[in-house]
Amino acid sequence: MSHWLALAIAIIAEVIGTTALKASNEFTRLIPSLIVVVGYGTAFYFMSISMRVLPVGIMYAIWSGMGIVLISVLGWLVFRQTLDMPAIIGLAFIIAGVIIINVFSKTVGH
């Protein structure tokens, strides 16, 4: 399996787990709570696969950065949470950072 595909699966699983965390209502609802556990377990498993090739710091920066952006967008779409201009600018900086790492860093195996 490609380390990039593994990282993408890890990001998606983390986003699903974190979205379910909001829906779990502090782990008082069973199904969303189970989704949290499975989501994070899946995320960590696929992160470990991507670490076979990617340095841990780079992998974690991409995983957490993209997770933050995707969770923020889902919070806006699903939970109707607002994003003000400073939040949007900050999210744009996160995206720019991930792009810079992937395009210019020599530590990332392309």
Side-chain angles (χ1 to χ4, degrees):
M1 171 179 292
S2 162
H3 59 281
W4 292 113
L5 177 59
L7 183 55
I9 292 169
I11 292 167
I12 292 167
E14 184 266 336
V15 168
I16 291 169
T18 301
T19 303
L21 185 60
K22 171 81 171 150
S24 76
N25 196 25
E26 299 175 359
F27 288 100
T28 60
R29 298 179 59 219
L30 179 62
I31 299 301
S33 298
L34 292 174
I35 293 170
V36 171
V37 172
V38 171
Y40 277 104
T42 302
F44 289 131
Y45 172 74
F46 282 97
M47 282 171 57
S48 72
I49 292 172
S50 70
M51 280 192 280
R52 292 178 187 160
V53 175
L54 295 173
V56 67
I58 298 298
M59 181 275 313
Y60 189 75
I62 295 168
W63 177 77
S64 61
M66 293 311 300
I68 290 166
V69 170
L70 292 172
I71 287 297
S72 297
V73 170
L74 280 176
W76 177 66
L77 290 172
V78 175
F79 300 114
R80 303 287 184 219
Q81 298 171 341
T82 59
L83 295 171
D84 60 9
M85 191 52 66
I88 293 169
I89 292 169
L91 292 169
F93 278 131
I94 292 170
I95 293 169
V98 170
I99 291 169
I100 289 167
I101 288 171
N102 280 297
V103 173
F104 298 107
S105 176
K106 300 215 184 314
T107 61
V108 177
H110 293 287

